Amino acid sequence: MKRLLRFLFFLAAIFDFARAQVSRPEQPMVAVGVARVDITPELPIRLSGYQGRLAEATTVAAPLHARALAIGTDAEGPVVIVAAEVIAVSEALSEAVAAAVREKHPSIPRERIAVCATHQHTGPHIAGTLPFMFSRDLPAEEVARIERYAAMLEQQLIAVALKALAARQPARLAWAQGKAEFAVNRRQITDGKYTAYTATPGGAVDHALPVLRAVDADGVVRAVLLTYACHCTTLKGGDNVVHPDWAGDAATRIEAQHTGAVTLVTIGCGADSDPQPRGMAAVAIHGKTVAGEVARLLAGEMRPVGRVTSAALRKIELPLARTVGREELEARLKGKPSVAYAAAQFLKQLDAGKPLPSSVRYPVQAWVFGTDLAMVFLGGEVVADYALRLKREFGAERMWVNAYANHVPCYIPSARILAEGGYEADNAMDYYGLPTRLGPDTEEHIVRTVHDLLPANFILRP
């Protein structure tokens, strides 16, 4: 009798499994398009990211690219993400790209277009970003080359977005989250205060590596989107060559593994993290690490997702901490070159009757795939605390955070980093043309905005 019962239970289990397989709906197809364009500059050109370079770059060690991914039909409301291998994008550049896309596709609202930078430090200086980067006035001919590159870049970003939209074909989307550990916190803290800019194992860092995959009806990979929270500073200031750093190396390796596919790499909240080790030889090490982890994820089980069902974008004002007066600026003229140059520029503004900045215009964007996944895009150089907090509040298994998106006005320190002080809180503001640090409520303002942009069905899902 026991043997008969076991046999009957076994048959019932098989029947239930078969019924589940028959009744399980097939994953719906989603329209997906991808494209890639070359954005390598003509030489010579001034590179950005490091102040100490004495001359323009005259060598291309590896080409630069911009890539785009479009998801959804016109009827559904598509989204488009552009990822460019440049140090930063300005609000003006992102808005120009979005306006040109919307001119061709009026049904795509601004909140469904995201423009991201990989923030590598071996690419051209981008007009409209990091205005005091070099702590000196550049020669007119160098400025002209920078401006020509900016004009070319804008047209290429528009072109790649439109190509991705034109290339949409049915595909299935899925995502998974892996891990890479070459990002290392770079803030040394002693007695609660910043004391040095150096590799600091054990500090705050986000090692998550989320990957979105699109495959066609035959299971062939057409697109990969991944994010990792780490500076593209494997190459150092002495490497005065054009190169996309680890992000570009990883993208190229993944594309080589999947003929015809396009890989977009975006940077997460890694403004206080550097890659370790560093140097030209380390670029391939980090690129292989990312490509290897992506290969592992693509070969395993991934969670299906559909189209983006909700998109929102809000531009908020982040107040600066205080007003800086003329007397303080005049005292700064005796400081180190970056401080003195910025002070001189601020004094020129006051002499011309123009007020100094009192706030920073800041974009916060969010896309939601049903209730399964939220993809957040934050402007600026965002530190790890933001992603770690958002994942705690919404669940790491359904929260994907990008930084360096739509506009890079400055570093975006957390409340903790503002209390500790140091480079990301204070010193970097000179390069960004701001007279002082952001206000103490910066983190709360940004996180509250993310909460506001996410729909109720996502927030309330158990």
Side-chain angles (χ1 to χ4, degrees):
M1 178 62 72
K2 289 182 179 179
R3 185 174 299 174
L4 177 60
L5 288 173
R6 282 198 297 267
F7 178 69
L8 291 174
F9 281 132
F10 174 71
L11 287 178
I14 292 177
F15 177 75
D16 288 342
F17 176 78
R19 183 173 58 185
Q21 294 301 107
V22 170
S23 62
R24 179 180 297 167
E26 184 178 2
Q27 183 188 351
M29 303 292 276
V30 180
V32 173
V34 284
R36 177 180 58 246
V37 297
D38 193 296
I39 57 169
T40 308
E42 294 182 358
L43 300 178
I45 197 160
R46 172 68 59 176
L47 304 187
S48 192
Y50 297 114
Q51 193 177 73
R53 294 179 175 126
L54 300 179
E56 294 175 295
T58 57
T59 302
V60 174
L64 306 182
H65 293 93
R67 298 168 171 89
L69 169 66
I71 301 172
T73 64
D74 288 347
E76 294 166 339
V79 295
V80 184
I81 177 172
V82 177
E85 291 170 349
V86 294
I87 191 164
V89 292
S90 66
E91 181 180 33
L93 175 60
S94 296
E95 291 303 320
V97 172
V101 170
R102 296 189 64 201
E103 184 177 353
K104 298 290 185 180
H105 297 268
S107 63
I108 306 178
R110 173 64 184 90
E111 61 266 23
R112 288 180 170 265
I113 303 168
V115 182
C116 302
T118 62
H119 195 59
Q120 40 74 279
H121 287 45
T122 42
H125 186 67
I126 306 300
T129 70
L130 287 154
F132 301 166
M133 177 72 244
F134 305 104
S135 299
R136 63 187 185 280
D137 295 334
L138 296 177
E141 61 272 20
E142 289 191 21
V143 173
R145 285 190 277 271
I146 289 169
E147 291 176 347
R148 283 198 297 272
Y149 181 77
M152 182 276 285
L153 177 66
E154 179 180 313
Q155 293 307 307
Q156 288 294 78
L157 297 190
I158 294 168
V160 76
L162 294 176
K163 286 179 180 178
L165 284 162
R168 283 172 290 173
Q169 297 291 332
R172 291 187 174 91
L173 293 173
W175 83 292
Q177 194 156 208
K179 187 177 184 180
E181 297 185 337
F182 62 82
V184 177
N185 186 280
R186 67 189 194 184
R187 291 173 54 83
Q188 179 176 292
I189 306 299
T190 304
D191 296 329
K193 294 296 180 183
Y194 176 96
T195 53
Y197 185 129
T198 186
T200 307
V205 67
D206 182 9
H207 280 153
L209 200 160
V211 175
L212 179 71
R213 178 197 66 192
V215 299
D216 64 18
D218 297 321
V220 177
V221 176
R222 294 190 57 230
V224 174
L225 168 65
L226 68 96
T227 298
Y228 187 56
C230 183
H231 257 84
C232 269
T233 50
T234 316
L235 298 178
K236 303 180 181 181
D239 297 308
N240 195 23
V241 297
V242 173
H243 196 289
D245 212 275
W246 69 260
D249 186 271
T252 300
R253 291 178 188 277
I254 296 166
E255 290 171 346
Q257 295 167 1
H258 302 280
T259 303
V262 174
T263 297
L264 288 79
V265 178
T266 62
I267 309 302
C269 299
D272 50 344
S273 303
D274 276 337
Q276 295 294 335
R278 297 176 69 189
M280 184 63 79
V283 172
I285 295 173
H286 302 324
K288 288 178 181 178
T289 295
V290 172
E293 181 67 349
V294 170
R296 184 186 72 82
L297 293 173
L298 296 187
E301 185 175 349
M302 303 185 78
R303 295 163 53 192
V305 293
R307 64 182 179 87
V308 171
T309 54
S310 172
L313 170 67
R314 184 177 299 173
K315 295 182 179 181
I316 60 177
E317 293 293 327
L318 299 177
L320 297 185
R322 61 190 181 89
T323 300
V324 177
R326 180 179 292 274
E327 184 176 348
E328 180 178 345
L329 292 173
E330 290 173 346
R332 292 184 189 180
L333 295 173
K334 300 176 182 178
K336 63 181 183 179
S338 60
V339 174
Y341 179 82
Q345 304 312 303
F346 295 140
L347 286 168
K348 287 180 182 178
Q349 284 184 237
L350 293 177
D351 291 342
K354 299 177 182 178
L356 299 185
S358 60
S359 65
V360 169
R361 190 167 169 84
Y362 186 76
V364 182
Q365 187 175 18
W367 296 348
V368 176
F369 298 74
T371 60
D372 300 314
L373 173 64
M375 189 174 287
V376 173
F377 299 88
L378 300 177
E381 299 203 48
V382 189
V383 300
D385 288 339
Y386 284 85
L388 299 175
R389 176 175 173 179
L390 289 170
K391 290 176 183 181
R392 287 194 306 269
E393 295 182 359
F394 291 104
E397 76 285 355
R398 63 191 190 121
M399 178 58 60
W400 182 325
V401 187
N402 303 274
Y404 302 94
N406 295 310
H407 181 36
V408 183
C410 60
Y411 273 86
I412 308 299
S414 61
R416 175 182 62 85
I417 285 180
L418 286 171
E420 294 170 349
Y423 182 76
E424 293 84 358
D426 297 297
N427 305 343
M429 291 307 204
D430 286 324
Y431 303 119
Y432 278 104
L434 294 169
T436 189
R437 58 164 47 196
L438 290 171
D441 294 332
T442 295
E443 180 180 335
E444 292 305 316
H445 198 176
I446 293 171
V447 171
R448 184 170 62 250
T449 302
V450 173
H451 278 258
D452 290 346
L453 294 183
L454 295 175
N457 67 331
F458 182 86
I459 294 174
L460 298 176
R461 197 199 80 169

